[in-house]
Amino acid sequence: MNAADKLARYRALSRKQRRILLRAALRLPFAWLGLHAMGPRRMQAWAERPPAREDFPLEEATGIGGLVNVAARHAPWPATCLTRSLVLVRMLRERGAAARLRIGVRVVDGALDAHAWAELGGVPVNDAPDVGSKFAPFGAPPSADQFRAP
């Protein structure tokens, strides 16, 4: 996709979507720095600090998740699954959503693989709907298919 196409897609966004996209783009490098300076536990506490409610619209959460993913894909700095998920959880929490950071693991070809995503009401909002079946989330018992070494 060339620069003109990217600009046209940006202009097609609503004013609210543009603000969300820009806010995510600005927060991603700070989340990355925070992970390295303060560690994942403190950053998760930062992301999940604002109070939350359970009745936040799932469609709105997934829309914001998509915009954070776009910002992460086009960032000129490192934007891992953990940094984008931390930013998304914080942004959703600021809007009152009971979003949670999820981190899961699996074994692939004898190596441990980890992944992070954001959930609202147990539903991933910035990843594939079946991500929880591919990775054993911390706090949940792993199934034999998720966590089996060859």
Side-chain angles (χ1 to χ4, degrees):
M1 180 180 304
N2 64 32
D5 291 338
K6 289 179 183 179
L7 183 59
R9 290 180 79 175
Y10 177 77
R11 287 184 175 160
L13 297 173
S14 70
R15 184 178 298 225
K16 180 179 178 182
Q17 290 171 319
R18 288 180 193 175
R19 279 195 310 268
I20 291 168
L21 182 65
L22 292 174
R23 175 175 267 163
L26 292 172
R27 286 186 173 192
L28 283 165
F30 291 107
W32 185 85
L33 287 170
L35 281 168
H36 289 82
M38 297 185 296
R41 286 182 191 241
R42 288 180 69 190
M43 287 303 295
Q44 182 174 3
W46 165 80
E48 294 181 346
R49 184 175 307 129
R53 65 180 199 271
E54 297 294 329
D55 63 340
F56 194 84
L58 185 59
E59 296 90 25
E60 185 175 348
T62 56
I64 293 169
L67 291 168
V68 172
N69 288 346
V70 168
R73 276 195 306 272
H74 297 289
W77 49 81
T80 64
C81 59
L82 182 55
T83 56
R84 69 182 169 87
S85 297
L86 283 167
V87 167
L88 176 58
V89 168
R90 178 64 183 212
M91 291 176 72
L92 290 172
R93 285 284 181 137
E94 288 173 344
R95 287 167 173 74
R100 292 185 47 208
L101 177 69
R102 297 300 299 224
I103 299 173
V105 295
R106 66 181 177 182
V107 175
V108 177
D109 296 328
L112 191 64
D113 185 26
H115 185 59
W117 64 95
E119 285 186 356
L120 180 63
V123 178
V125 294
N126 67 332
D127 215 307
D130 64 344
V131 67
S133 67
K134 293 178 181 177
F135 291 86
F138 291 128
S143 71
D145 292 335
Q146 293 171 319
F147 203 68
R148 185 180 349 177

